[in-house]
Amino acid sequence: LLTIPLGYRFSAMYAGIRKVEKDDLGLIVSDQPASAAAVFTRNLVQAAPVRIGRKHLRASRGKLRAILVNAGNANCATRTGDQVALATCEALAARLKVPMEQILPASTGVIGVELNPKRITKSIPALVKGLSADRFDDVAHAIMTTDTIPKTSSREISVDGRAVRIAGMTKGSGMIQPDMATTLGFVITDAELSPGDLRGLLAAAVETSYNRVSVDGDTSTNDTVAVLANGASGVKPKGLALDEFGAALTAVLEDLARQIARDGEGARKLVTIDVTGLPDDGGAQRIARGIANSPLVKTAIAGSDPNWGRILSAAGNAGVPFDPAKVDIYLQGKLVCQGGLAARFSEAQMKKRLDERECEVRFIVRGRGRGAARFWTCDFTEDYIRINASYRT
Amino acid sequence: LLTIPLGYRFSAMYAGIRKVEKDDLGLIVSDQPASAAAVFTRNLVQAAPVRIGRKHLRASRGKLRAILVNAGNANCATRTGDQVALATCEALAARLKVPMEQILPASTGVIGVELNPKRITKSIPALVKGLSADRFDDVAHAIMTTDTIPKTSSREISVDGRAVRIAGMTKGSGMIQPDMATTLGFVITDAELSPGDLRGLLAAAVETSYNRVSVDGDTSTNDTVAVLANGASGVKPKGLALDEFGAALTAVLEDLARQIARDGEGARKLVTIDVTGLPDDGGAQRIARGIANSPLVKTAIAGSDPNWGRILSAAGNAGVPFDPAKVDIYLQGKLVCQGGLAARFSEAQMKKRLDERECEVRFIVRGRGRGAARFWTCDFTEDYIRINASYRT
């Protein structure tokens, strides 16, 4: 069960943006101006809501009142993108009676198709009317595209006996690849924090969560992870409590990131890749990413095939020097490659172990290297192709 | 019909290396020591035949008499890899009565499974007995793994009224990705050339052929492209004739590379990607590669979906600066994206055009940039997954 932070309300509805009648418009409102931080896609092609969102965060000096999000259309690479994002923020600002720059717009869906702003502006009165403190899940549903399940996570920590709550929602599920937040993710907390503190905590948390998950190696034009802190708990974490808050925020983001990998397009399995023994973390990350992005590794896992040769080969392509003769590879905790060579294992038993819904790959370079990295991905199935060969039609 | 260079003989047979009874051992012999050059995988994990092949070329000062190749086992990441490669070369050298270092070994197939050298050494008498000038195609068949068709190409040029012949064979079909020769490719010619000249010509030819083709973004541990020049035509191209020879060699390699893309695992379509208008060729190549490797672009093409937004987004991830507002994208010669925005086109007609077996993607950055690159890939279908989820079983 989720713990929802105090001082927020949520709403969702169907605005006719996507063809299927399923909520496609979501709203998160903080009762008070909240400190805010966000990370955006590093793709050179950036959607209008990303550009406007960045501008609003700057103009409002890191204060937000609301996040307005739609699914079904990315509002990217269109003639009217900026106007649409601005018009919808404007309409919402007027309705909520808040400054327009305190609204963060976000969109996900198809690229290059004009988004009719009226579908959103017309819906805003009903959307605002529907605001309620217990509709967090409705927004998590509304932002889904090819996601098969909504993705949420929450934590509560205690600071001097007083509770502080963090809750997050996210959506995948193709186009998930680092670097950077590679999806939409919205996290709210009732802790009191400065925008500067929040920015630092978010950057650190994203590094070990959203930046370590890959579905297909593509990065979208709309990726946004935003966090709001409205202070409604009356608690301002400092010192050790701030560290504890940062750890809880990271835990929420990691949980969301894992859910993204698990629900990757067509995925049946969550794959966790641990790489250790490299001279530095950067090298370990590159190898982990190389393994996570290899279609040959991901299809082998889909087929429950303990094909460690593909893992070794993918690592060898990462551009990071290591001695293949010092590599041990474990699958599901079982040694399958020892010193770069086949270990003794039962193919039949290994196949059965790999039929599990969660797969662990451990890639170890023996020696004194302390560089390590963890990465999440999913297996690569025929359904990925099926979903993506017919996304628009 | 292929033109086969003079002074070569070929043989192939089933040595019991692969499970299916289908030729898995191939031999190319030059009647005289031939000048030779080769390019090998850049993967950090290199198969034994790659290591031994490199050594032999150095020891023989770029002279080869034979190429001995097997399919069904990569002879990579095994305890006995080097001994196996050496033992098979030794057995063949004894039989052919040539120095062992004039033999180039090559292997393709599964990684990490011990290769029994006896399967090959025992077969060598019969293999050598089977040598014939008209069995080029048999070797092209023997090196196939998941390839659905053998891949060969040839050219003939005339130097001062005398004919010089070039013929090549290659195999794909997953794990095809630059940089570098990313497969096995063997090219023979009866021109007379020094090993040094041959090295230069091969390096240039590989650059615009094997280095510009991608199936799944993976690079194998065994990739080798070798060229032999035995001088049996009695013609030694110089000056302009040498340029002409280089152009013919490049044409053969490009033809082979295109065939690899067309026959990529599960592929139904050959996709040619042309990128122009960047400040330099390197940037154009990175963008072309980014488009070619994007699973979302490749699945869209599989589904005949003119989803140019994915092309623009993949280009935006390539790490090369360009102005998205200056991008035009053509699919099958039709403008689908103009200045980064949707152009007017009929979805139905475009879908029909994309049903063709060959697809052309043109990505143009308007302006004065002269940097250009061409790349080949294939569409990404459910069959790719089916093939790779069960490769070993």
Side-chain angles (χ1 to χ4, degrees), chain B residues 42-61:
Chain B
R42 287 185 189 146
N43 195 316
L44 192 68
V45 182
Q46 308 215 331
V50 166
R51 286 196 299 267
I52 303 297
R54 236 191 261 279
K55 225 180 261 179
H56 282 187
L57 270 173
R58 225 177 298 128
S60 70
R61 298 189 178 184

Side-chain angles (χ1 to χ4, degrees), chain B residues 118-136:
Chain B
K118 285 197 182 145
R119 292 200 200 276
I120 297 176
T121 53
K122 269 174 144 180
S123 304
I124 278 177
L127 190 68
V128 169
K129 213 171 165 194
L131 280 168
S132 157
D134 58 10
R135 295 191 67 197
F136 185 89

Side-chain angles (χ1 to χ4, degrees), chain B residues 34-361:
Chain B
S35 291
V39 283
F40 297 99
T41 182
R42 287 185 189 146
N43 195 316
L44 192 68
V45 182
Q46 308 215 331
V50 166
R51 286 196 299 267
I52 303 297
R54 236 191 261 279
K55 225 180 261 179
H56 282 187
L57 270 173
R58 225 177 298 128
S60 70
R61 298 189 178 184
K63 291 284 175 182
L64 289 182
R65 278 296 290 274
I67 296 171
L68 177 64
V69 55
N70 75 274
N73 188 313
N75 194 21
C76 178
T78 60
R79 280 168 184 79
T80 58
D82 286 12
Q83 293 107 285
V84 171
L86 289 168
T88 56
C89 287
E90 208 171 6
L92 180 63
R95 194 80 190 178
L96 292 176
K97 302 193 175 65
V98 302
M100 180 173 152
E101 63 267 23
Q102 291 188 6
I103 294 167
L104 183 84
S107 299
T108 177
V110 68
I111 302 173
V113 175
E114 301 290 327
L115 173 58
N116 181 353
K118 285 197 182 145
R119 292 200 200 276
I120 297 176
T121 53
K122 269 174 144 180
S123 304
I124 278 177
L127 190 68
V128 169
K129 213 171 165 194
L131 280 168
S132 157
D134 58 10
R135 295 191 67 197
F136 185 89
D137 276 324
D138 291 352
V139 183
H141 273 93
I143 62 177
M144 290 165 64
T145 54
T146 50
D147 306 66
T148 65
I149 48 162
K151 299 164 184 70
T152 57
S153 181
S154 68
R155 291 288 186 286
E156 190 174 305
I157 64 164
S158 168
V159 178
D160 297 333
R162 291 156 74 196
V164 166
R165 298 149 205 91
I166 306 173
M169 65 176 71
T170 198
K171 56 96 32 193
S173 69
M175 275 197 167
I176 303 303
Q177 137 89 351
D179 271 333
M180 234 298 293
T182 47
T183 177
L184 301 183
F186 306 125
V187 180
I188 55 174
T189 173
D190 49 21
E192 189 184 339
L193 291 159
S194 71
D197 278 351
L198 206 53
R199 270 195 293 275
L201 292 172
L202 177 63
V206 160
E207 192 46 52
T208 61
S209 58
Y210 282 84
N211 279 359
R212 301 296 175 83
V213 61
S214 165
V215 167
D216 57 16
D218 268 317
T219 299
S220 114
T221 51
N222 289 57
D223 305 332
T224 302
V225 176
V227 53
L228 306 189
N230 68 1
S233 67
V235 179
K236 188 168 183 169
K238 284 175 196 163
L240 277 181
L242 189 62
D243 293 346
E244 206 190 327
F245 176 86
L249 180 68
T250 301
V252 168
L253 263 66
E254 284 186 9
D255 189 14
L256 293 174
R258 257 197 316 273
Q259 291 181 51
I260 287 171
R262 190 194 301 273
D263 192 32
E265 282 176 345
R268 282 187 298 255
K269 298 175 186 175
L270 171 67
V271 183
T272 306
I273 295 159
D274 278 303
V275 174
T276 55
L278 276 293
D280 55 68
D281 289 353
Q285 278 167 36
R286 290 223 293 287
I287 288 175
R289 182 173 307 177
I291 295 169
N293 276 337
S294 162
L296 287 171
V297 170
K298 289 151 70 83
T299 47
I301 290 174
S304 296
D305 176 1
N307 197 329
W308 58 267
R310 292 185 182 173
I311 297 169
L312 188 63
S313 178
N317 279 332
V320 178
F322 65 84
D323 181 356
K326 287 190 178 153
V327 170
D328 293 344
I329 299 174
Y330 291 78
L331 287 177
Q332 305 293 58
K334 274 283 176 193
L335 188 69
V336 291
C337 165
Q338 189 170 24
L341 303 169
R344 289 204 167 193
F345 62 90
S346 148
E347 284 266 337
Q349 274 176 29
M350 205 59 231
K351 217 170 166 57
K352 214 167 152 192
R353 282 170 185 270
L354 285 168
D355 281 338
E356 299 284 323
R357 293 295 306 268
E358 304 212 351
C359 288
E360 281 176 32
V361 176

Side-chain angles (χ1 to χ4, degrees), chain A residues 23 26 45 67 70 74 133 146 154 165 187-188 217 219 226 233 238 270 282 308 346 392:
Chain A
D23 285 359
V45 182
I67 297 172
N70 75 274
T146 51
S154 69
R165 298 149 205 92
V187 180
I188 54 175
T219 299
S233 66
K238 283 177 197 163
L270 170 67
W308 57 268
S346 147
R392 301 206 315 171

Side-chain angles (χ1 to χ4, degrees), chain A residues 70-88:
Chain A
N70 75 274
N73 188 314
N75 193 20
C76 179
T78 60
R79 279 168 186 79
T80 57
D82 286 12
Q83 294 107 286
V84 170
L86 289 169
T88 55

Side-chain angles (χ1 to χ4, degrees), chain A residues 124-367:
Chain A
I124 278 177
L127 190 68
V128 170
K129 215 173 164 192
L131 281 168
S132 155
D134 58 11
R135 296 192 66 198
F136 185 89
D137 276 324
D138 291 353
V139 183
H141 273 93
I143 63 176
M144 291 165 65
T145 54
T146 51
D147 306 67
T148 65
I149 48 161
K151 299 166 184 70
T152 56
S153 181
S154 69
R155 291 288 185 287
E156 189 173 305
I157 63 165
S158 167
V159 177
D160 298 330
R162 291 157 75 197
V164 166
R165 298 149 205 92
I166 306 174
M169 65 177 71
T170 198
K171 56 100 28 196
S173 68
M175 275 195 166
I176 303 303
Q177 137 89 351
D179 275 335
M180 235 296 296
T182 48
T183 178
L184 300 183
F186 306 124
V187 180
I188 54 175
T189 174
D190 49 20
E192 188 183 340
L193 290 158
S194 72
D197 278 350
L198 206 54
R199 269 195 294 274
L201 292 172
L202 177 63
V206 160
E207 191 48 52
T208 61
S209 58
Y210 282 86
N211 279 359
R212 301 296 176 83
V213 62
S214 164
V215 168
D216 57 14
D218 266 317
T219 299
S220 117
T221 51
N222 290 58
D223 303 332
T224 301
V225 176
V227 53
L228 306 190
N230 68 1
S233 66
V235 180
K236 188 169 184 170
K238 283 177 197 163
L240 278 180
L242 188 62
D243 294 345
E244 205 190 329
F245 177 85
L249 180 68
T250 301
V252 168
L253 263 66
E254 284 187 8
D255 189 15
L256 293 174
R258 256 198 317 272
Q259 292 182 49
I260 288 171
R262 189 193 300 273
D263 192 32
E265 282 175 347
R268 282 187 297 255
K269 299 174 187 175
L270 170 67
V271 183
T272 305
I273 296 159
D274 277 303
V275 174
T276 55
L278 276 293
D280 55 67
D281 289 352
Q285 278 167 38
R286 291 222 292 288
I287 288 175
R289 182 174 305 179
I291 296 169
N293 276 337
S294 162
L296 287 170
V297 170
K298 291 152 68 84
T299 47
I301 290 174
S304 296
D305 176 1
N307 199 330
W308 57 268
R310 292 185 182 172
I311 297 170
L312 187 63
S313 178
N317 278 331
V320 178
F322 64 86
D323 181 355
K326 289 191 177 152
V327 169
D328 293 344
I329 299 174
Y330 291 79
L331 288 177
Q332 305 293 62
K334 274 281 176 194
L335 188 69
V336 292
C337 166
Q338 188 169 25
L341 303 169
R344 288 202 168 192
F345 61 90
S346 147
E347 284 267 337
Q349 273 176 29
M350 204 61 230
K351 220 172 163 54
K352 214 168 154 192
R353 282 170 185 270
L354 285 168
D355 280 339
E356 300 284 323
R357 293 295 307 267
E358 304 212 351
C359 289
E360 281 176 31
V361 177
R362 266 164 61 207
F363 183 97
I364 300 166
V365 182
R366 293 183 210 158

Side-chain angles (χ1 to χ4, degrees), chain A residues 90-139:
Chain A
E90 208 170 6
L92 179 62
R95 194 79 191 180
L96 293 178
K97 300 195 176 65
V98 302
M100 179 172 154
E101 63 266 23
Q102 291 189 4
I103 294 167
L104 184 84
S107 299
T108 178
V110 67
I111 302 174
V113 174
E114 301 290 328
L115 172 59
N116 181 354
K118 285 197 181 145
R119 292 198 198 275
I120 297 176
T121 51
K122 269 174 143 181
S123 304
I124 278 177
L127 190 68
V128 170
K129 215 173 164 192
L131 281 168
S132 155
D134 58 11
R135 296 192 66 198
F136 185 89
D137 276 324
D138 291 353
V139 183

